[in-house]
Amino acid sequence: MKLAYFVLPHLGGTYTVFTQLRRGLAPYDIELRWLGLRHGTGGVDPTLSDAAALGAGIDAAALPDDRETARRLADAIVAEGFDGVVVNVLSDRVQTNIVRYLPPEILRFMVVHNITPGTYAAACAIAPHVHATICVCRRARDDLVDRHGFPAGRTHVIPNAVSLKDFPLQDRTLRFEGLRLLFLGRIEDASKGVLWLPEIFARSPGTARLTIVGDGPDLPRLRAALPASARVDFLGAVGIQAVPALMARHDVLLMPSRYEGLPMALVEAMAAGCVPIASALRGVTDMVVDDGHDGLLFPVGDRRKAADLVHALDGDRPRLAHLSAGARRKVARNFTVERMAMRYAEALRKTALNPPPIAPSLPIENWSLPSGLRPGLRTYLPGPVKNWLRLVRERL
């Protein structure tokens, strides 16, 4: 089976999942190749040196409109002999919508990476044209099945995972200097809660150090709120290959997110024995972290509680070591590439052997975006209002 996985090579979780999944599915004779739409002039990041050999991109910027882009994409899928496509919902609106227009013999799988109303609206918009849905967290599957009528037998939970070979066991001999705290991810407050980091850090022990890794729209605001000092380092974006060593050099991963799907950084940190202190997101972070056994959770937005947890670990190094060992055991038991690939292969093969009926393909000449793929009313709400609504939803 040969599948097109809709993603462009980038330093981020979705492409990391692609590389892990491609490697894991190879023993099942399932070939995964990336296929993406380039909307600008930027090239592939040089740290992703093997990306060009693993897929291909289409220059959407050179095409007159979305309809012609969709036509070119559909032609490429057929010409390359793909048996099916894997759509990452809302990663690109044209690629999300293309499943409604593909030839009937093409299998269509969608992956739901987030728990936002916008993501669910997009998933619902294309659901009649999709053979199976894969949710990276339990929360997304429960919401789609219970509240949006997705068929339970065709809606799977398969969490993101890592290869433990990439995270060799490190000597974490107890040190008596301050804790080394890490944030790794997109520097964006709306989803990642990065502008809560300064207060968490200010309330943390005075000997702690904080490393910020990543890039994003709120980086200037975060820099302004965390003045340069010997205790704070900004490393910018780093390559995928650098992540294991980076995690190994830190004691605690701070993850103050407002919402997530199943963050790769969380699983990567735990694989390296870096203890997560993360927002308690029902069906998301609590699906990975068993609070008090392999990491620590705090109510969304509760900066004081997050800092208290940092203080507690700083004063109890044996507990830090216990949580670190538990975190790695959790990944080895539940979040390995081998386990993820086995479950994907089972879902993909089962669907290919007996494809369920789906809605008839639409003619590409009638290309249009359904309402679920167009901006909704929430898009126009002020950022602080949306952030307040997200906090209230999770607290309730």
Side-chain angles (χ1 to χ4, degrees):
M1 189 187 307
K2 182 179 179 181
L3 300 175
Y5 188 97
F6 289 166
V7 71
L8 274 175
H10 67 287
L11 297 177
T14 311
Y15 186 72
T16 301
V17 172
F18 161 76
T19 59
Q20 300 282 19
L21 192 55
R22 173 183 164 83
R23 180 171 24 172
L25 287 176
Y28 296 93
D29 293 325
I30 299 174
E31 180 184 4
L32 212 60
R33 295 186 63 79
W34 67 264
L35 183 62
L37 298 177
R38 292 195 175 97
H39 296 279
T41 57
V44 174
D45 190 282
T47 63
L48 305 174
S49 56
D50 62 343
L54 305 182
I58 294 171
D59 185 7
L63 298 172
D65 52 34
D66 284 352
R67 179 185 290 108
E68 187 56 35
T69 300
R71 191 190 309 275
R72 186 71 60 88
L73 179 61
D75 289 345
I77 291 166
V78 174
E80 292 297 322
F82 287 111
D83 301 297
V85 298
V86 180
V87 179
N88 293 294
V89 174
L90 273 192
S91 62
D92 178 277
R93 293 182 190 275
V94 171
Q95 287 186 299
T96 301
N97 194 37
I98 193 68
V99 299
R100 303 198 304 146
Y101 299 87
L102 291 175
E105 67 272 13
I106 301 294
L107 295 169
R108 308 113 197 257
F109 305 91
M110 70 168 156
V111 183
V112 179
H113 286 277
N114 226 316
I115 59 171
T116 64
T119 303
Y120 291 165
C124 290
I126 67 170
H129 296 265
V130 170
H131 292 96
T133 300
I134 295 168
C135 302
V136 301
C137 63
R138 186 175 60 247
R139 165 83 163 272
R141 194 226 182 231
D142 290 349
D143 286 347
L144 291 176
V145 171
D146 297 341
R147 295 167 47 198
H148 297 283
F150 275 51
R154 291 162 46 193
T155 309
H156 312 275
V157 179
I158 307 179
N160 298 331
V162 300
S163 171
L164 283 179
K165 294 178 183 177
D166 296 335
F167 293 83
L169 190 62
Q170 300 287 330
D171 177 15
R172 285 187 170 271
T173 303
L174 292 181
R175 289 171 286 270
F176 293 94
E177 68 269 20
L179 289 180
R180 298 163 304 173
L181 312 176
L182 172 69
F183 172 87
L184 186 150
R186 181 169 169 78
I187 311 298
E188 178 186 36
D189 188 55
S191 59
K192 303 296 184 181
V194 295
L195 296 182
W196 286 331
L197 287 170
E199 184 176 344
I200 294 172
F201 186 60
R203 293 178 178 275
S204 296
T207 54
R209 294 178 60 94
L210 175 62
T211 303
I212 306 291
V213 180
D215 199 356
D218 288 318
L219 180 57
R221 295 175 67 192
L222 184 59
R223 280 187 176 276
L226 280 169
S229 75
R231 296 176 56 219
V232 180
D233 293 317
F234 285 86
L235 300 187
V238 302
I240 294 172
Q241 298 84 354
V243 170
L246 185 66
M247 295 292 191
R249 293 198 303 270
H250 289 84
D251 303 300
V252 170
L253 176 78
L254 291 177
M255 183 170 286
S257 302
R258 289 185 173 88
Y259 60 87
E260 289 282 358
L262 196 147
M264 283 298 299
L266 178 61
V267 183
E268 289 168 336
M270 293 174 69
C274 182
V275 176
I277 295 180
S279 296
L281 299 172
R282 178 182 57 80
V284 182
T285 54
D286 66 2
M287 176 180 161
V288 184
V289 176
D290 186 1
D291 188 26
H293 295 274
D294 41 46
L296 300 170
L297 300 175
F298 61 92
V300 177
D302 193 338
R303 286 86 83 192
R304 182 182 295 275
K305 177 64 174 178
D308 287 347
L309 294 175
V310 174
H311 270 284
L313 289 187
D314 187 58
D316 191 346
R317 299 305 175 90
R319 188 181 185 215
L320 175 69
H322 172 78
L323 292 171
S324 174
R328 184 172 173 88
R329 284 195 302 269
K330 171 64 75 60
V331 172
R333 186 168 63 247
N334 294 338
F335 300 100
T336 63
V337 166
E338 293 78 11
R339 182 180 177 87
M340 175 179 69
M342 178 185 67
R343 296 176 67 184
Y344 261 91
E346 181 181 2
L348 296 173
R349 284 179 168 175
K350 180 181 177 181
T351 304
L353 286 173
N354 188 24
I358 60 175
S361 298
L362 303 176
I364 210 158
E365 291 76 18
N366 296 340
W367 175 267
S368 66
L369 286 179
S371 60
L373 287 176
R374 296 194 294 267
L377 291 176
R378 293 172 66 95
T379 305
Y380 303 102
L381 291 175
V385 174
K386 286 193 285 190
N387 288 341
W388 179 81
L389 289 172
R390 289 166 182 144
L391 189 148
V392 169
R393 182 178 67 166
E394 290 305 321
R395 289 286 186 90
L396 293 177

